[in-house]
Amino acid sequence: MSAPSAPSSASAGPAPTAAAAPPAATARSRRAALGVIATGMLMIILDGSIVTVAMEAIQNDLGFTPAGLSWVVNAYLIAFGSLLLLAGRLGDLLGRKRMFLAGTALFTAASLLAGVATTPALLIAARFLQGIGSAMASAVGLGILVTLFTGPRERARAIAVFSFTGAAGASIGQVLGGVLTDALSWHWIFFINLPIGLTVLVLAVPVLPADRGLGIRSGADVAGALLVTAGLMLGIYTVVKVETYGWISAHTLGPGALAVLLLAAFLARQASAATPLMPLRILRSRAVAGANLVQILMVAALFSFQILVALYLQKVLGYGSARTGLAMLPAAAVIGLVSLGVSARLNARFGERRVLLSGLVLLIGVLGLLARVPVHAHYLTDLLPVMLLAAGFGLALPALTVLGMSDAKADDAGLASGLFNTTQQIGMAVGVALLSTLAASRTDDLLTDGQSRAAALTGGYHLAFTVGAGFLVTAFVVAFAVLRPHRPTPGDAPETTATVA
């Protein structure tokens, strides 16, 4: 196994020989490419959170039923999560730049369609198209970065910037969604994507490195593509509908079993196909497999922070949309400070594994405190410490991303990126289904026992936060046991001698 901080292309051929540091123009172009990719990801992630605070306005304007309203989120989530793996591999075959541009263009056009939607069906269709575009663009984003930034330190810094855009997009989306909806209308939560998307497209054409890809014949596994897409789509659909139908209903067990069979058939197909869509060698790396497993657990747990804390602030403490976003802004600030300011240096000095474990400890503290938050909480004493401990996310995610991409060959960078994003969406779907269901069930039980609505809601959130903390403890154990520490050796190439893939 390659060292976690080694360049992803190291396993694709002989070790790079010493070379002069890249010229200033090359360094500037790589930073420009990072800026373009990060901005594109910011737009996509911002869109995912900006919708949540405008749901009530959308329902009132378009006449959604309560069940139909959930598809504004579900249509996006299903398309996004199920197509990431396929989009990542197609990026390797057809060219990652081409895939990024096509995905960004589709997402931008779909945002315009969503903004002008006048019926529930049109809005849901636009959200599905947004999910497809998001999958195409985000699946290859990390793949482009790891082929551009090959030195351990510069790659860590680039991934820290990439990770920060996730936290920033989620937090900005919650604030911006409330402001735009209250000041203008819900249509503008989609129109805001147009200037961002067009700017990214204009800048990406000259800035992103051109890559021809391996060619479609190198991995044109049509049967495998159909199996994995159908399996993921059906599986994510089953999970997001658990809250409606329950875990042991026929509506859950039947499609769930079929999804498992489809994914098992996909893995069997990849083991025997001459040109597999996902070469199984990528899962033989302890770093890659362990990092993706840790991510599923971590993201599932942190759903309870991102979503349930917002619900607690609104439904229990009575905060409005804009105030909720501002209340959670300190978390985004400390995550950004840690991600951009110190995470790369800590990874270089102590290794990604130690930094990841430290971040997980802080995040366990976050959910541990939330599991005891009172009904009548004071922000400064009960919630602000929680927001500050969220700095653990700024430590954990960049380190985890480096580990998840560490052993990907140059030809598999898009696939590894798609896989890493896919497990992120699986973790999110599991978190949504499991933690929200547990919280709702516990709330109903407490209401039946005669507790007030605020106390019952708080009790439901307490259970979800406790289970989420358990996920994080499990993630810590997996990371400690599976991810091996990196010990620098005399053969490690310094950053200044790394070649650009």
Side-chain angles (χ1 to χ4, degrees):
M1 183 188 70
S2 302
S5 57
S8 65
S9 58
S11 57
T17 57
T26 301
R28 284 197 299 270
S29 66
R30 287 186 292 159
R31 288 195 295 269
L34 172 60
V36 167
I37 293 172
T39 303
M41 294 305 100
L42 177 68
M43 174 183 67
I44 289 171
I45 296 171
L46 183 148
D47 185 81
S49 62
I50 202 172
V51 173
T52 59
V53 297
M55 296 288 277
E56 184 176 356
I58 292 173
Q59 182 178 20
N60 294 336
D61 190 23
L62 296 186
F64 271 99
T65 64
L69 185 64
S70 65
W71 282 98
V72 176
V73 174
N74 291 344
Y76 178 87
L77 181 62
I78 290 171
F80 186 26
S82 61
L83 293 172
L84 279 164
L85 193 62
L86 175 60
R89 189 54 177 168
L90 288 177
D92 290 330
L93 301 178
L94 302 176
R96 289 184 280 272
K97 178 179 180 178
R98 188 179 302 171
M99 184 64 64
F100 182 85
L101 290 173
T104 303
L106 177 58
F107 180 87
T108 305
S111 296
L112 175 60
L113 182 62
V116 300
T118 55
T119 64
L122 184 58
L123 180 57
I124 291 172
R127 290 289 287 164
F128 190 84
L129 290 175
Q130 276 190 310
I132 297 174
S134 297
M136 294 169 65
S138 60
V140 297
L142 276 174
I144 296 174
L145 288 186
V146 298
T147 57
L148 276 176
F149 297 90
T150 56
R153 291 185 182 180
E154 64 172 6
R155 178 183 291 181
R157 286 195 293 267
I159 286 178
V161 172
F162 186 87
S163 301
F164 167 68
T165 60
S171 299
I172 293 172
Q174 290 175 328
V175 178
L176 192 60
V179 171
L180 289 175
T181 302
D182 292 342
L184 298 172
S185 71
W186 66 265
H187 300 275
W188 284 90
I189 67 174
F190 298 112
F191 289 150
I192 194 67
N193 294 329
L194 302 184
I196 303 175
L198 292 175
T199 301
V200 169
L201 287 172
V202 169
L203 295 178
V205 173
V207 164
L208 294 186
D211 59 318
R212 299 177 59 184
L214 301 173
I216 197 67
R217 293 183 179 180
S218 299
D221 182 14
V222 177
L226 293 175
L227 286 170
V228 70
T229 303
L232 287 172
M233 189 171 290
L234 185 58
I236 294 173
Y237 166 80
T238 302
V239 170
V240 299
K241 299 302 289 182
V242 161
E243 187 175 1
T244 302
Y245 296 102
W247 288 96
I248 59 174
S249 69
H251 196 282
T252 298
L253 296 178
L258 180 57
V260 171
L261 289 175
L262 287 171
L263 293 176
F266 166 72
L267 292 176
R269 167 75 182 176
Q270 301 314 287
S272 59
T275 56
L277 180 71
M278 187 186 79
L280 296 183
R281 63 175 179 270
I282 197 172
L283 298 178
R284 295 173 188 157
S285 163
R286 289 170 64 98
V288 172
N292 278 279
L293 178 56
V294 169
Q295 178 169 236
I296 291 175
L297 294 166
M298 188 174 79
V299 172
L302 292 179
F303 159 78
S304 63
F305 176 79
Q306 182 178 349
I307 304 298
L308 296 185
V309 169
L311 291 175
Y312 167 78
L313 291 172
Q314 292 178 331
K315 295 182 177 294
V316 177
L317 299 187
Y319 285 21
S321 298
R323 189 181 178 189
T324 297
L326 291 172
M328 299 185 71
L329 198 57
V334 296
I335 291 171
L337 180 63
V338 173
S339 295
L340 300 179
V342 300
S343 66
R345 283 177 286 178
L346 291 176
N347 285 338
R349 181 169 182 178
F350 300 106
E352 290 83 8
R353 177 177 179 266
R354 291 181 178 178
V355 175
L356 170 61
L357 293 174
S358 300
L360 288 172
V361 169
L362 293 179
L363 293 176
I364 291 169
V366 167
L367 295 191
L369 289 176
L370 287 173
R372 303 177 61 184
V373 70
V375 176
H376 304 291
H378 297 284
Y379 183 79
L380 290 179
T381 57
D382 295 314
L383 294 173
L384 184 58
V386 170
M387 302 300 170
L388 297 179
L389 282 177
F393 192 74
L395 293 176
L397 186 58
L400 190 61
T401 305
V402 172
L403 291 167
M405 297 294 295
S406 60
D407 283 350
K409 296 182 179 180
D411 292 343
D412 293 333
L415 172 61
S417 175
L419 176 63
F420 194 75
N421 282 285
T422 298
T423 57
Q424 190 174 88
Q425 294 305 307
I426 291 173
M428 186 181 299
V430 170
V432 169
L434 180 60
L435 299 183
S436 60
T437 301
L438 289 174
S441 177
R442 177 62 175 163
T443 297
D444 290 342
D445 291 341
L446 293 175
L447 287 172
T448 302
D449 292 340
Q451 294 197 22
S452 67
R453 180 165 181 79
L457 285 169
T458 304
Y461 298 146
H462 282 172
L463 176 59
F465 294 140
T466 301
V467 174
F471 284 166
L472 290 174
V473 171
T474 306
F476 182 93
V477 173
V478 172
F480 184 84
V482 175
L483 301 178
R484 292 173 177 170
H486 170 55
R487 294 181 176 85
T489 65
D492 285 347
E495 177 183 343
T496 56
T497 66
T499 57
V500 179

